[in-house]
Amino acid sequence: RRALRNFGTLSITNVIPDPDQPRTEFSEEEIEQLAQSIREQGQLHPIRVRWSDTHGKWVIISGERRYRATKQAGLETIECRFHDGELTKTEVLEQQLIENLLRSDLRPLEEAKAFQQLIDLNGWTGKELSAAIHVTQSRITRALSLLKLPADIQAQVESGDLAPSVAYELSKLPDDAQRREALALSQAGGMTRDEVSSAVRQQKPRKRGASR
């Protein structure tokens, strides 16, 4: 560590990714592009790390993509910014989530699971989460709706075969059978999100007392 004690260089073997990092998928092509840039120009921005007594290593708070690229570039050391104080699990997750949201790096289900994890950790409502991480409540509601879907439909969202906006409309249906039926109809007919939304409204049971 240097005179400016919050910055320094570590052996890359002394740094590990956070096992609770909300982002789990990384593009190999993007990592290789960044690795090539690091080979040519060096590491331009430090990663943020915190010490973990549990692991006996420095754990990444933010910058896992740069860490992966630095390893791929074949470097033995990595530039770091050290966080000396204690961070709660909530604080770490909030910082990681905010960084990933700002970079649009999270896949739809990764984002949804991170939102749900923060809600569970803190006993928050969607409104309280919205205020804490400065994300619109409607975005949180739409993201969390994906977790209501069965695993096979979630897999289509994860693979990119099903748009999150369409999946959100499907989540409004009361059960998985109706969701799968609506999805099959939408895929067979090449329906738009608005058309799926209209079909969902027709399938949803009317509330008691609703006008006919």
Side-chain angles (χ1 to χ4, degrees):
R1 299 177 71 161
R2 303 179 186 134
L4 188 60
R5 68 173 275 110
N6 284 340
F7 292 87
T9 303
L10 289 175
S11 166
I12 204 161
T13 60
N14 287 331
V15 179
I16 60 170
D18 189 333
D20 296 322
Q21 154 76 274
R23 186 182 181 194
T24 58
E25 297 289 335
F26 293 83
S27 164
E28 290 299 327
E29 182 179 355
E30 289 180 4
I31 295 296
E32 177 52 38
Q33 288 176 350
L34 184 54
Q36 186 59 39
S37 172
I38 290 172
R39 291 185 194 104
E40 295 172 357
Q41 302 179 38
Q43 182 190 344
L44 300 180
H45 302 287
I47 65 172
R48 289 187 65 212
V49 295
R50 60 185 175 86
W51 177 254
S52 169
D53 286 330
T54 301
H55 299 287
K57 291 181 183 291
W58 293 90
V59 176
I60 298 169
I61 298 174
S62 61
E64 184 173 341
R65 195 171 68 104
R66 275 166 280 157
Y67 161 80
R68 287 172 177 254
T70 300
K71 284 187 70 175
Q72 191 152 317
L75 275 65
E76 296 182 355
T77 60
I78 187 165
E79 298 292 319
C80 299
R81 178 181 176 184
F82 303 101
H83 183 94
D84 283 330
E86 290 293 324
L87 282 173
T88 66
K89 187 174 181 179
T90 293
E91 290 170 332
V92 171
L93 182 57
E94 280 183 28
Q95 291 185 29
Q96 292 171 337
L97 181 55
I98 289 168
E99 182 189 19
N100 283 313
L101 290 173
L102 290 173
R103 293 177 52 84
S104 300
D105 276 352
L106 287 178
R107 297 157 75 95
L109 282 166
E110 288 176 337
E111 179 178 292
K113 290 173 183 176
F115 286 158
Q116 188 62 60
Q117 190 175 358
L118 278 173
I119 286 172
D120 293 342
L121 279 171
N122 296 287
W124 282 341
T125 63
K127 184 176 181 180
E128 289 169 332
L129 175 60
S130 172
I133 64 174
H134 308 291
V135 170
T136 64
Q137 193 171 347
S138 61
R139 177 172 178 176
I140 292 170
T141 298
R142 286 175 173 270
L144 293 177
S145 72
L146 301 181
L147 301 181
K148 300 177 184 177
L149 298 171
D152 54 317
I153 296 182
Q154 287 187 14
Q156 292 191 51
V157 176
E158 190 74 4
S159 66
D161 293 331
L162 179 63
S165 59
V166 174
Y168 169 65
E169 298 299 333
L170 295 176
S171 74
K172 297 177 183 177
L173 289 167
D175 60 63
D176 291 345
Q178 290 188 52
R179 290 164 185 160
R180 291 189 178 101
E181 181 182 354
L183 176 59
L185 288 172
S186 71
Q187 292 176 331
M191 296 164 65
T192 65
R193 183 194 67 82
D194 289 340
E195 289 169 337
V196 171
S197 178
S198 177
V200 165
R201 285 196 297 271
Q202 292 175 25
Q203 288 196 47
K204 286 177 69 177
R206 293 177 180 273
K207 294 181 180 179
R208 289 184 178 180
S211 59
R212 294 181 179 273

